[in-house]
Amino acid sequence: MKDFFAEDKVEEKKINKKKIIILILIFIIILAGIASVILYKQNEQVKVWIDKNVFRKEVFQNESTSIELNSEDNPNIYAFNRYIGILNKNKFVIYNSFAKQEKELNLEISNPLFASSSRYLAVAEKKGQKVYSVEDKEIKWEAMVSGEIYQVHVNKNGYVAVVIADTTYKTLISVFNNDGKNIFNTYLSTTSTTDASISNDNKYLAIAEVDTSGTMIQSKIKIISIEKAQKEAENSIIKTYNFENNKLVTNIKYQDKNKLICMFPDSIHIIENENDDILIDNMDKKITFSSIDLENNIANVEEQSTGLFTANSVLNIININNKNTITYTSSEVTKEVYTYENMIALNMGAEVHFINTNGWLSKRYIANQEITNIVISNSIAGIIYRDKIEIINL
């Protein structure tokens, strides 16, 4: 008689062997993956090889999509949202990441000041009176101001602050809501404005002021309640921060949760819950570049000598919420830094490294010549040459 039970046992043993082999293979793959991640993070040669051959992060000059330029036109170029815009002869032509023209807008601007956040772009005439707000690819509103414009700022909801040199006052700041209504003006009679920023919840306007009339520079930051300013502008200042003599405030920027980042030549401060704290002290470091124009992060580049004529560029990315620092190191000296929300571009001369705020290389662009001008947003960058713009998708 045939032993069916014996056959079942044999079949069961075969199935178990297959399972063991599969589990072993999975375990090996996991170990290989962990080892690859460790090597990628700790071994620069392995990292470069994986970026180049596996992730295809290297982009070479003349191999990417490009927009043709006529250098005689002297166009003004800016990257915003997912597009690159070219302003020339009052025409603002918007291109997508495939170098295809998507829109042409009529902007009566010849010498532009650009500012963007999220899907909003503000364009103003430098030392002129005209200002535009563009939402995605459409003109949202336009306005005329009195005096000469020398700064423009926009938050992620489309609120715009225009800093104006006024004939009566030293500085006038006009604030517009996202429908183009001038909701209030504020005046500075004795000080100059180095920067301004509108909070992401549209509640506050921060103004960085500098008084150079005395023997020592005096810097202060005023926080204005936008709600109060619409009712009574004179009594809308809710807090003023005064800094020590000769400490020059150069840039300010609101981050999420109304955290105000303030940059000085030797330090970066954070104003949070009415407390002014030093976030970074650069007194004893060789910091070549700093930026607060990021989303909930700040960055600086420190030059560290590796020899008599050689140095590394160490990019430090500091999260303002948890204060953690992520570093990215390059063996080249950084010549220029460009930042926008979650993206950082390090220009090494004939090479550009695009790094996100998590510290990961997004793209490495390698050119045949010196790179002198770059425009960048979160998802697109343009390498500007005399006759074309090469587009890099980030």
Side-chain angles (χ1 to χ4, degrees):
M1 178 182 267
K2 194 171 183 180
D3 192 347
F4 292 99
F5 296 102
E7 288 184 2
D8 287 343
K9 288 179 181 178
V10 172
E11 184 67 25
E12 188 178 311
K13 287 180 181 178
K14 289 181 180 178
I15 293 171
N16 287 340
K17 285 181 180 178
K18 288 180 180 178
K19 286 183 178 179
I20 291 169
I21 292 169
I22 291 169
L23 288 171
I24 290 171
L25 288 172
I26 292 171
F27 184 69
I28 291 171
I29 291 169
I30 291 171
L31 284 178
I34 294 171
S36 297
V37 171
I38 293 171
L39 283 170
Y40 183 83
K41 287 184 175 182
Q42 297 183 354
N43 190 303
E44 188 63 27
Q45 290 181 334
V46 172
K47 186 176 182 179
V48 171
W49 188 90
I50 291 175
D51 283 342
K52 180 180 178 180
N53 298 288
V54 179
F55 297 138
R56 304 291 181 184
K57 290 184 178 181
E58 284 194 353
V59 180
F60 292 88
Q61 185 177 345
N62 301 322
E63 292 184 1
S64 59
T65 305
S66 62
I67 302 167
E68 299 301 317
L69 291 177
N70 184 348
S71 59
E72 295 180 359
D73 291 337
N74 194 25
N76 296 281
I77 302 159
Y78 191 76
F80 67 102
N81 201 0
R82 296 169 287 122
Y83 312 108
I84 288 179
I86 301 175
L87 179 61
N88 184 40
K89 297 177 181 177
N90 294 339
K91 301 291 183 183
F92 188 60
V93 184
I94 299 171
Y95 295 87
N96 62 21
S97 59
F98 301 103
K100 180 182 177 182
Q101 180 178 328
E102 292 214 353
K103 193 77 176 181
E104 182 179 294
L105 304 177
N106 292 316
L107 304 183
E108 295 178 13
I109 302 284
S110 56
N111 188 16
L113 293 168
F114 292 107
S116 65
S117 181
S118 186
R119 67 183 189 275
Y120 289 98
L121 168 69
V123 188
E125 181 72 47
K126 186 176 182 180
K127 295 185 177 180
Q129 289 78 43
K130 198 82 171 182
V131 59
Y132 292 86
S133 174
V134 176
E135 183 180 4
D136 194 35
K137 296 174 292 184
E138 302 292 340
I139 296 175
K140 178 80 171 176
W141 53 263
E142 60 183 90
M144 291 287 292
V145 299
S146 59
E148 293 185 349
I149 299 171
Y150 65 94
Q151 287 181 32
V152 63
H153 308 277
V154 62
N155 76 351
K156 61 172 58 176
N157 297 316
Y159 276 56
V160 173
V162 183
V163 182
I164 305 160
D166 189 62
T167 53
T168 305
Y169 299 90
K170 194 160 189 177
T171 305
L172 163 67
I173 301 174
S174 292
V175 177
F176 298 82
N177 67 13
N178 55 11
D179 291 321
K181 180 183 177 182
N182 182 197
I183 54 177
F184 77 92
N185 297 322
T186 186
Y187 306 89
L188 308 176
S189 57
T190 60
T191 59
S192 300
T193 302
T194 57
D195 205 4
S197 183
I198 303 172
S199 63
N200 291 330
D201 60 4
N202 312 325
K203 289 184 177 180
Y204 305 105
L205 169 69
I207 304 171
E209 298 180 36
V210 176
D211 186 352
T212 57
S213 60
T215 56
M216 290 183 288
I217 294 172
Q218 300 285 334
S219 293
K220 67 174 68 173
I221 293 174
K222 288 180 181 176
I223 310 297
I224 293 175
S225 166
I226 291 178
E227 182 181 4
K228 288 183 178 180
Q230 293 178 71
K231 300 173 183 176
E232 193 178 4
E234 292 79 9
N235 298 314
S236 60
I237 299 172
I238 58 174
K239 189 73 176 178
T240 300
Y241 298 87
N242 293 289
F243 300 96
E244 60 188 74
N245 293 338
N246 286 331
K247 194 169 181 67
L248 176 65
V249 56
T250 56
N251 299 92
I252 60 173
K253 182 175 174 61
Y254 266 115
Q255 305 284 8
D256 290 341
K257 299 179 182 178
N258 294 328
K259 296 177 181 180
L260 183 66
I261 309 302
C262 314
M263 190 161 77
F264 301 85
D266 58 359
S267 62
I268 296 176
H269 293 218
I270 180 170
I271 294 175
E272 180 182 7
N273 299 323
E274 298 191 353
N275 295 317
D276 170 26
D277 296 314
I278 297 175
L279 201 57
I280 297 179
D281 187 348
N282 294 326
M283 283 293 291
D284 300 321
K285 300 175 183 177
K286 191 175 181 180
I287 302 298
T288 53
F289 299 98
S290 292
S291 176
I292 61 174
D293 292 323
L294 293 165
E295 191 172 90
N296 298 317
N297 285 273
I298 59 177
N300 64 30
V301 176
E302 183 178 358
E303 190 175 300
Q304 294 182 350
S305 177
T306 57
L308 190 59
F309 301 107
T310 58
N312 285 342
S313 291
V314 179
L315 171 65
N316 299 297
I317 305 166
I318 300 95
N319 186 294
I320 67 166
N321 295 315
N322 56 29
K323 310 301 187 293
N324 287 341
T325 300
I326 298 171
T327 60
Y328 176 92
T329 303
S330 170
S331 58
E332 302 290 331
V333 174
T334 301
K335 298 181 182 296
E336 193 60 72
V337 173
Y338 304 82
T339 58
Y340 185 87
E341 292 185 355
N342 295 313
M343 193 59 62
I344 303 161
L346 304 181
N347 182 3
M348 312 293 184
E351 192 171 301
V352 183
H353 296 193
F354 296 95
I355 302 107
N356 62 32
T357 48
N358 292 319
W360 293 93
L361 178 72
S362 178
K363 285 288 188 334
R364 180 186 289 109
Y365 178 85
I366 300 170
N368 304 321
Q369 63 195 84
E370 193 83 2
I371 299 165
T372 58
N373 200 0
I374 300 169
V375 290
I376 184 174
S377 73
N378 272 340
S379 59
I380 192 171
I383 310 296
I384 303 172
Y385 296 103
R386 182 181 57 82
D387 58 349
K388 65 180 177 178
I389 307 167
E390 293 208 357
I391 296 175
I392 312 298
N393 288 303
L394 304 173

